[in-house]
Amino acid sequence: MLSLSQNDFSGPLPENLSNLSMLEHLDLHDNSITGEFPAFLSQLSSLQVLNLRNNSIEGSISDDLSSLSSLRILDLSNNNLIGEIPQSFGNLTGMIDAPDVSLRLSEIFNFPVEIHDLIVNWKNSKRGLSSRNLDIYTFLDLSKNELSGEIPLPLGSLKSLKLLNLSYNELSGNIPLSLGDLESPETLDLSHNNLDGEIPGTFTKLQELNSLDLSNNKLGGKIPESPQMDTLVDPNIYANNTGLCGVQIQVPCEEDLQPPESPGMKKNEIWFSWAATGIGYPVGFLSSTAVMYVIGYFNITPLHHRRRRTSPR
């Protein structure tokens, strides 16, 4: 473990950090680190925790970070990062395989904060994660940067994530359906972006989600309903979007305002259809017959005109 957070370190990270091949925990949050994103960190093959929050790191996030198969906590929030979120993040193995524990994060945070605890942003407040059990946490926090483009579909593969925070960026496009494949997120924050379209119906599968923020986007349509989604009724979760509706915010959707068709009305329609058929058929037949008679279709010659004349004898 190398924890040098909350100091006055400035300048770019030294590349000789890559020589710490057995380093598992690198915490440098709340400093004044500058320069391009340190791509050489991908050489720390044993790294499980990387926290560079609250610095001034610039440039794009290196694709090579996805080679860190043990990485379970990645916090790059509140920097000056630009570009797109790497598609390769869907290959972060440490965030795919769920840890073999039965402890929920709400219980984990009951530990008293220790000198070596990892401080993270959790449910709009800072919490201390016990360094004794860091292997059971799975967080991805890229908030408060200048990241653009769409949310990568492969992020839905990170099935052991407990927290995904992409807020305060410049992300656009639809929320991918694949985020509904996340099996156990408790916190999902996509607020303050330029996301549009509808909230995916796959969100109904997020049974452990208890902290959601989709505010300040361009989302519209009906908010999905499920036993868990129906508990997320704080209006601030969905505030400042273009046209959301649903029971969670007590705004009726247009399709819900149309009165359902009563059985009696449907029965009357069926009777009217058969009655119209019964009346229309004979009327049509007689009308057609009359027309054909007028135009001479039926050439009816009187019987006495058709008798052959016989010559007198």
Side-chain angles (χ1 to χ4, degrees), residues 15 50-51 77 133 135 145 161 176 185 204-205 222 232 242 247 285 288 290:
E15 289 196 27
L50 176 59
N51 189 354
S77 62
N133 296 301
D135 58 335
N145 282 287
L161 271 184
T204 59
K205 298 189 295 183
K222 186 173 184 177
L232 303 172
T242 53
V247 296
F285 176 77
S288 300

Side-chain angles (χ1 to χ4, degrees), residues 53-284:
R53 183 180 71 246
N54 291 342
N55 281 287
S56 299
I57 300 172
E58 301 174 347
S60 57
I61 303 173
S62 173
D63 282 330
D64 295 335
L65 277 186
S66 61
S67 64
L68 298 176
S69 59
S70 299
L71 192 63
R72 302 189 61 81
I73 295 178
L74 177 60
D75 190 345
L76 305 178
S77 62
N78 205 5
N79 279 283
N80 300 317
L81 298 172
I82 61 173
E84 298 185 355
I85 301 173
Q87 296 281 337
S88 58
F89 270 18
N91 299 323
L92 287 167
T93 309
M95 300 183 186
I96 297 175
D97 301 326
D100 186 17
V101 293
S102 58
L103 207 57
R104 291 175 58 89
L105 286 180
S106 56
E107 299 168 338
I108 292 168
F109 284 124
N110 289 329
F111 289 119
V113 175
E114 302 171 353
I115 190 65
H116 295 301
D117 278 2
L118 176 67
I119 307 299
V120 298
N121 291 321
W122 173 255
K123 299 182 181 179
N124 299 320
S125 63
K126 290 184 178 181
R127 306 287 186 92
L129 303 182
S130 173
S131 58
R132 296 170 297 181
N133 296 301
L134 283 179
D135 58 335
I136 63 177
Y137 309 127
T138 47
F139 291 168
L140 177 58
D141 192 342
L142 305 178
S143 62
K144 297 182 180 177
N145 282 287
E146 299 173 28
L147 299 172
S148 58
E150 298 185 353
I151 299 175
L153 297 178
L155 288 188
S157 301
L158 306 181
K159 297 185 182 300
S160 69
L161 271 184
K162 288 295 182 182
L163 177 148
L164 176 61
N165 191 347
L166 305 178
S167 63
Y168 289 92
N169 280 289
E170 299 173 9
L171 301 173
S172 58
N174 294 344
I175 300 175
L177 296 174
S178 62
L179 290 191
D181 295 330
L182 298 172
E183 293 182 349
S184 55
E186 296 184 26
T187 292
L188 177 60
D189 192 344
L190 306 177
S191 64
H192 295 271
N193 281 289
N194 296 310
L195 301 171
D196 54 26
E198 297 186 353
I199 301 173
T202 54
F203 274 28
T204 59
K205 298 189 295 183
L206 304 178
Q207 300 299 318
E208 297 183 25
L209 187 64
N210 53 46
S211 179
L212 175 66
D213 196 345
L214 301 174
S215 64
N216 296 281
N217 281 289
K218 301 175 181 179
L219 300 171
K222 186 173 184 177
I223 301 171
E225 297 179 15
S226 71
Q228 189 61 27
M229 287 292 294
D230 291 351
T231 66
L232 303 172
V233 295
D234 184 351
N236 294 324
I237 295 174
Y238 311 100
N240 298 324
N241 280 285
T242 53
L244 288 174
C245 61
V247 296
Q248 295 89 341
I249 55 176
Q250 298 182 351
V251 175
C253 298
E254 184 175 352
E255 60 265 32
D256 297 331
L257 294 176
Q258 298 177 355
E261 192 176 74
S262 64
M265 183 181 298
K266 188 172 182 180
K267 184 177 180 180
N268 290 337
E269 289 179 357
I270 295 173
W271 177 88
F272 179 80
S273 176
W274 279 104
T277 302
I279 295 172
Y281 180 79
V283 170

Side-chain angles (χ1 to χ4, degrees), residues 285-298:
F285 176 77
L286 293 175
S287 300
S288 300
T289 303
V291 170
M292 288 188 290
Y293 180 80
V294 169
I295 65 176
Y297 184 83
F298 298 112

